[in-house]
Amino acid sequence: MLRGSSRQYAADVVPEAYCYMRSTVRRVLMLLATMIIVSFLTYAAFELISGDPAEAMLGTQATPARIAALRRELGLDAPFPVRYIRWLLGFFSGDLGVSYSYKQPVGELIAPKLEVTLCLCLLSFVIITLISIPLGVLSYQQVVGRFGWIHTTLNQLLMAVPAFFTGILISWGFGIVLRAFTPGDFPDLHMDPAGAFRHLLFAAVCIAIPRTAMTVRMMRSTVISEMEKDYVQTAISRGNDRQGVLLGHVLKNSLVPAVTFLAQTMAEIVAGGIVVEQVFGIPGLGRLLVASISNRDYPVVQAIVVILAFWVVLAGLAADLINQCIDPRLRLGGGS
Amino acid sequence: MKKKMNGYLMAGLIITGVLLLMTLIGAFYTPYDPTVMSAREKFNAPSFAHLFGTDNFGRDIFSRVLKGSGTTVFIALSTVVIGAVIGTAVGAVTGYFGGFIDEVLMRMNDALTAFPSILLALVVISILGPGSRFNLILALGIVFIPGFARVTRTAFASLRDRNYVESARLMGASSARIMLIHMLPNIFSVLFPALTIGFNNAVLAEASMSFLGIGVTPPDASLGYMLSEAQGMIVAAPWYAISTGLMIILLVFGAGLIGEGLQRSGNSTEL
Amino acid sequence: MLEIKDLHVKFHTRNREAVAGVSLTIHDGEILGLVGESGSGKTVTAMSVAGLLPRKQCSYSGEVLLDGQDLLHADRSILRKIQGRQIGVVFQQPMNAMDPLKRVGEQVGEVLKIHTDMDSDARKKAVLEAMEAVELPDPEAVFRKYPHELSGGMLQRAMIAAAIVIRPRLLLLDEPTTALDVTIQAQILELLKWLNAESGISMMFISHNLNVVRKLCTHVAVMQRGLVVEEGDTDDVFFHPQHSYTKHLIEAIPSRKHTAAFGKS
């Protein structure tokens, strides 16, 4: 595509697509490494404390012979690294072990709840994104203006509202008083998708309120700092109107930090989900997690923690890939 | 550091000051005994006798909120102290010396950020055992270490090559002295806002954990635990949930305003 | 063509006026050099002409007339029709002045997109011609590049191409060569001189570097503390400086005798 004569363009010999692919591969490898560290930390932590699961499972019926038999059955007699790798391989092939308290494969136990939780997280994420990005861009002028303090104060106030408090109020107002949904009675996701959606929507809004406030604030300060950059002057000097400057230049430049921030928000959404599921009686991973912690059902806890952490890490990866599409400077970043 | 008073800082300090004063007084004196039940006074709406009304056992909610916020604030402050002291120390050492340890710790830090804070706290609490105030403080404290470490590491790394640090080093000051006397005061502008954010996260995390029933458990009562109680009687005594929730909001709001104010007045300082 | 009459600009955050009564004229085809140290008000003067003053953060009076039309108090919507179309601006830091996320070709053609109804093919053709004119090697390739993929000198050429692609009447150059190294600086100056000779475009060239101004400009105005202390024909000002500050500046040029001997030829 080039005549290839001028030496200045040596970088162009490497096609853009290749750079893109190389940095993507790098990112995926880093992701795998992070996942392995995360899973190892979790596994090791629970190995340290859980004591002997065989003993726990047998409870009062524990005799040395029975414990030994069960240990062999569960593969607990192998050394720690072997057990970890076995567990990790099992994890990726869908075999997550057996729950102590439900005596049921963890995978079967988790799968339907995972669906619900993912729906809740995504719904909340969509709400946050759809509201905060436009609002952040549009409201930047207000903050600079005379009534900026109202925005800032309102923002701080909304950031202070815990999701479970809104949850209590909403399930009281919309659930008990207005009967828009029945708190604690979550419709089956496949049998009644519309009802489930409505139920999830209320929960998602609760999670979204403080995070939306935070994202608006972040977006706004990004737009403000972008507006001070030189390229904005250039854009104005070319006769762009405000809209042209904002939408044509500033928006795209503000998106990179916004996408990164939204990926971090995923972690907070997951955290909020754990609590809000409790408030609304949504049978998701969060409720199972809390119950399993109280029951000391470690295989379940382990699996849920790792799944949620993976979900967060995946969101980070997605953010990086999206940012590479937006910002060409990140594509070459493979080396430095 | 040029300290400019601004409206946010002022409002935040006033709100937080009043709340802290109230909880402090609440530790020694409450209008009613927050645990004494009274069959005749069940589900009273707010009145002059009971500012926030009473709950299903006829307990005075105002007194309970005072005691509960005392617990919450105590846990949040201890948590922030643990997180800030250890985190700052780790961040200072890694940022100042850099090198291999820095790399390793930062990689671990990255991995830890994959855990949402409450999830991490849940893991730690399930290791330590749920239901104890001390374990909750420890769990949340551990959870907040990486955040503080990250903030201070960045600040220390950027200060490391400044002239005055260089000259102190040439004058033969020890590393510990340089870090404590020369560098630490200069990162306050970064550290203070981080402290307010940490406090807020701690209040919310404590409330969440106790709400879930794996934080503070009775007879100890914190705002989060009280909210979970209040949810059960939301129809009969909505004032219970509302007053408790507002208390949490005000605590977080006040500290948030202080953070906002500090950030704005700190903008004029470099770094 | 451009007439600045008694321009005053004062920022609310400062006590002193940034520009304290400046009057200047640029005729068709002239290159006016605006010289002074940083803080002397030369950039603020240029910003007033370009319509880039942050109007809410300062008070201003006087007139900036482009062909009789006042720009200083003009409505933003009127100003926008002149910005880019009649007045092109080139800034000091090409790396920062470019939007980092847009391809260079698109940025060079932005003025055409705003001010004309050319389709994208026609725009591309015009952009490539402009790039050719500023001697950018391999315009087709540069068109598809992002700013970070080009050197500072090439970016500044692209910025000039962007400013002239629509053939404005006036080019404002705010220290366009300061951020570049010396050889590239000389090339850019040559280019500007050639553009002026070829298309008769007027220029206002801001610099604190007298040598540069002398090589390029037909007229010079020396600014100090918001005032024009001396102005006139380049040679006049250089060989018969009246004001002590001008003398001071000229004396500060390294190896003055050497360059003076060259300059006269």
Side-chain angles (χ1 to χ4, degrees):
Chain A
M1 71 182 141
L2 263 181
R3 256 152 273 160
S5 54
S6 70
R7 205 179 293 162
Q8 270 155 312
Y9 297 115
D12 208 60
V13 177
V14 184
E16 221 168 88
Y18 175 77
C19 289
Y20 194 79
M21 213 178 71
R22 198 180 54 180
S23 57
T24 305
V25 167
R26 245 180 75 94
R27 279 295 315 168
V28 171
L29 286 179
M30 272 173 69
L31 169 100
L32 285 177
T34 317
M35 282 182 165
I36 287 172
I37 296 174
V38 164
S39 66
F40 181 79
L41 287 177
T42 317
Y43 189 80
F46 284 107
E47 277 295 305
L48 273 178
I49 42 112
S50 59
D52 194 339
E55 223 177 296
M57 278 175 88
L58 289 169
T60 47
Q61 300 164 16
T63 62
R66 277 185 149 171
I67 291 175
L70 189 61
R71 280 178 66 92
R72 213 168 308 119
E73 195 190 314
L74 294 172
L76 291 173
D77 47 354
F80 173 72
V82 177
R83 273 181 293 146
Y84 166 66
I85 289 169
R86 218 181 261 165
W87 175 77
L88 191 67
L89 292 177
F91 188 91
F92 284 111
S93 58
D95 172 21
L96 306 170
V98 179
S99 153
Y100 297 162
S101 44
Y102 299 95
K103 312 275 188 261
Q104 206 189 77
V106 176
E108 272 175 35
L109 196 64
I110 284 180
K113 303 188 188 303
L114 180 64
E115 249 179 330
V116 174
T117 296
L118 289 192
C119 284
L120 177 62
C121 288
L122 284 177
L123 198 56
S124 186
F125 184 79
V126 169
I127 295 174
I128 294 172
T129 312
L130 287 187
I131 296 179
S132 58
I133 301 248
L135 211 59
V137 174
L138 290 177
S139 70
Y140 98 93
Q141 282 165 297
Q142 268 71 44
V143 169
V144 187
R146 206 143 111 234
F147 298 104
W149 68 272
I150 297 179
H151 285 253
T152 311
T153 309
L154 191 66
N155 214 299
Q156 284 285 353
L157 193 63
L158 287 178
M159 273 160 56
V161 180
F164 50 93
F165 180 54
T166 349
I168 293 174
L169 294 186
I170 284 185
S171 59
W172 175 42
F174 287 88
I176 298 170
V177 179
L178 297 174
R179 301 191 178 282
F181 68 103
T182 322
D185 183 19
F186 184 73
D188 190 274
L189 205 54
H190 300 283
M191 309 285 274
D192 179 11
F197 177 78
R198 196 163 56 215
H199 204 124
L200 286 177
L201 189 64
F202 285 108
V205 166
C206 296
I207 303 173
I209 289 173
R211 295 308 303 183
T212 305
M214 271 177 224
T215 316
V216 167
R217 181 184 142 89
M218 175 267 151
M219 195 64 201
R220 203 153 52 190
S221 62
T222 309
V223 169
I224 289 172
S225 71
E226 285 295 326
M227 284 303 273
E228 281 164 9
K229 292 202 171 154
D230 290 356
Y231 71 81
V232 171
Q233 290 275 301
T234 312
I236 298 173
S237 81
R238 286 183 185 150
N240 270 298
D241 52 10
R242 190 168 292 281
Q243 199 186 343
V245 174
L246 263 181
L247 301 183
H249 295 274
V250 171
L251 181 60
K252 199 174 179 193
N253 276 281
S254 307
L255 276 183
V256 171
V259 168
T260 309
F261 187 83
L262 282 172
Q264 288 162 4
T265 296
M266 192 50 93
E268 301 304 320
I269 294 175
V270 167
I274 295 173
V275 191
V276 164
E277 281 176 12
Q278 201 78 9
V279 180
F280 285 88
I282 295 170
L285 284 187
R287 277 188 91 186
L288 182 63
L289 175 67
V290 173
S292 304
I293 287 175
S294 302
N295 298 337
R296 305 197 145 237
D297 194 345
Y298 292 116
V300 180
V301 178
Q302 227 167 27
I304 294 178
V305 168
V306 172
I307 287 174
L308 291 183
F310 279 12
W311 173 240
V312 172
V313 175
L314 269 178
L317 174 74
D320 278 352
L321 296 184
I322 292 172
N323 278 343
Q324 281 185 19
C325 288
I326 301 173
D327 191 339
R329 286 168 296 180
L330 299 173
R331 281 173 222 163
L332 298 163
S336 58
Chain B
M1 183 160 93
K2 200 170 76 185
K3 266 259 179 70
K4 219 178 69 200
M5 210 56 176
N6 56 40
Y8 300 112
L9 191 54
M10 189 88 91
L13 285 175
I14 291 172
I15 295 176
T16 311
V18 169
L19 292 180
L20 286 185
L21 196 67
M22 271 169 61
T23 51
L24 202 64
I25 293 172
F28 300 103
Y29 167 78
T30 49
Y32 295 86
D33 185 329
T35 52
V36 162
M37 309 182 187
S38 152
R40 275 185 300 126
E41 310 252 309
K42 266 205 261 185
F43 296 130
N44 278 3
S47 64
F48 282 112
H50 299 281
L51 278 178
F52 293 168
T54 58
D55 68 358
N56 58 337
F57 297 119
R59 295 176 297 192
D60 179 50
I61 291 172
F62 182 64
S63 306
R64 284 185 69 71
V65 167
L66 282 185
K67 272 276 187 256
S69 39
T71 312
T72 298
V73 168
F74 173 75
I75 291 175
L77 285 179
S78 332
T79 303
V80 170
V81 168
I82 294 178
V85 170
I86 301 180
T88 307
V90 171
V93 170
T94 54
Y96 183 74
F97 292 107
F100 179 69
I101 301 174
D102 184 36
E103 271 298 311
V104 172
L105 280 173
M106 283 305 118
R107 285 302 135 255
M108 270 180 65
N109 223 329
D110 284 345
L112 282 179
T113 51
F115 296 96
S117 55
I118 291 183
L119 189 62
L120 193 56
L122 286 175
V123 171
V124 180
I125 208 94
S126 66
I127 291 167
L128 297 173
S132 129
R133 185 194 268 229
F134 178 73
N135 284 355
L136 183 63
I137 292 175
L138 204 60
L140 290 177
I142 292 172
V143 169
F144 289 132
I145 292 174
F148 280 106
R150 186 179 291 266
V151 169
T152 30
R153 191 201 86 99
T154 319
F156 267 83
S158 76
L159 284 179
R160 186 174 49 203
D161 302 317
R162 292 284 170 87
N163 284 336
Y164 65 92
V165 175
E166 202 72 45
S167 64
R169 205 176 291 144
L170 287 175
M171 282 161 68
S174 68
S175 299
R177 192 185 152 80
I178 292 175
M179 280 193 270
L180 266 177
I181 311 237
H182 297 280
M183 293 169 86
L184 193 59
N186 283 295
I187 69 156
F188 281 160
S189 64
V190 195
L191 203 55
F192 277 136
L195 281 175
T196 62
I197 295 169
F199 176 78
N200 279 353
N201 288 338
V203 168
L204 291 174
E206 186 283 321
S208 305
M209 305 273 288
S210 300
F211 181 82
L212 294 175
I214 26 190
V216 171
T217 46
D220 224 357
S222 76
L223 293 175
Y225 174 74
M226 285 160 59
L227 259 183
S228 71
E229 263 184 3
Q231 195 192 2
M233 50 184 105
I234 184 77
V235 178
W239 45 83
Y240 191 7
I242 291 173
S243 54
T244 315
L246 282 182
M247 191 69 192
I248 298 178
I249 292 178
L250 279 179
L251 272 174
V252 176
F253 180 53
L257 284 181
I258 294 180
E260 178 84 37
L262 284 176
Q263 244 166 21
R264 279 169 192 245
S265 66
N267 267 354
S268 52
T269 58
E270 54 175 339
L271 197 122
Chain C
M1 185 197 80
L2 179 81
E3 213 175 333
I4 302 176
K5 285 183 186 166
D6 195 30
L7 176 69
H8 288 261
V9 179
K10 185 185 169 299
F11 288 96
H12 297 325
T13 49
R14 300 274 162 77
N15 290 322
R16 195 166 60 80
E17 278 188 324
V19 177
V22 163
S23 299
L24 286 170
T25 309
I26 302 179
H27 297 288
D28 276 313
E30 276 182 3
I31 305 181
L32 174 73
L34 209 51
V35 190
E37 55 201 12
S38 48
S40 60
K42 51 193 195 320
T43 297
V44 178
T45 307
M47 293 301 113
S48 324
V49 176
L52 293 176
L53 275 185
R55 290 184 173 186
K56 281 179 191 153
Q57 293 157 41
C58 59
S59 50
Y60 47 90
S61 64
E63 278 179 305
V64 176
L65 302 171
L66 184 75
D67 299 323
Q69 153 114 56
D70 184 26
L71 302 181
L72 194 60
H73 303 281
D75 203 66
R76 278 243 158 257
S77 55
I78 296 168
L79 206 53
R80 275 202 293 275
K81 296 217 169 64
I82 292 163
Q83 287 175 324
R85 182 69 197 84
Q86 308 283 351
I87 303 174
V89 188
V90 177
F91 296 92
Q92 181 172 356
Q93 301 276 357
M95 211 48 127
N96 300 340
M98 284 263 187
D99 184 335
L101 306 186
K102 296 220 143 135
R103 291 179 195 274
V104 172
E106 196 185 333
Q107 300 194 48
V108 173
E110 191 182 5
V111 200
L112 298 172
K113 202 171 173 182
I114 296 169
H115 296 284
T116 70
D117 40 16
M118 288 176 160
D119 60 19
S120 66
D121 286 342
R123 283 206 303 267
K124 180 164 184 182
K125 197 163 158 276
V127 167
L128 291 179
E129 272 167 24
M131 285 180 168
E132 205 97 43
V134 298
E135 292 162 349
L136 271 170
D138 203 351
E140 277 280 353
V142 174
F143 192 92
R144 279 181 288 103
K145 293 277 183 196
Y146 287 98
H148 71 278
E149 295 172 301
L150 298 182
S151 67
M154 293 179 70
L155 274 183
Q156 198 59 298
R157 281 174 193 272
M159 282 301 287
I160 295 172
I164 61 158
V165 67
I166 201 167
R167 310 235 157 234
R169 305 207 42 208
L170 177 66
L171 204 54
L172 289 179
L173 302 134
D174 187 2
E175 309 230 14
T177 58
T178 313
L180 308 174
D181 50 25
V182 184
T183 46
I184 306 212
Q185 194 173 324
Q187 290 171 14
I188 298 275
L189 289 180
E190 277 308 312
L191 170 68
L192 292 173
K193 217 167 184 171
W194 176 81
L195 278 174
N196 173 257
E198 191 253 3
S199 64
I201 186 170
S202 311
M203 299 183 187
M204 183 192 266
F205 186 93
I206 295 170
S207 181
H208 60 261
N209 186 335
L210 280 184
N211 262 334
V212 169
V213 167
R214 190 154 159 202
K215 277 184 205 149
L216 179 69
C217 303
T218 54
H219 292 74
V220 181
V222 180
M223 286 192 71
Q224 186 190 19
R225 313 186 108 244
L227 288 167
V228 173
V229 292
E230 182 153 5
E231 69 167 309
D233 201 66
T234 306
D235 286 346
D236 278 352
V237 172
F238 272 89
F239 288 100
H240 313 287
Q242 303 295 315
H243 196 275
S244 60
Y245 178 66
T246 316
K247 287 180 190 156
H248 187 73
L249 278 183
I250 293 173
E251 271 161 25
I253 302 178
S255 66
R256 184 172 68 94
K257 279 177 200 153
H258 196 70
T259 42
F262 265 103
K264 194 59 196 168
S265 58

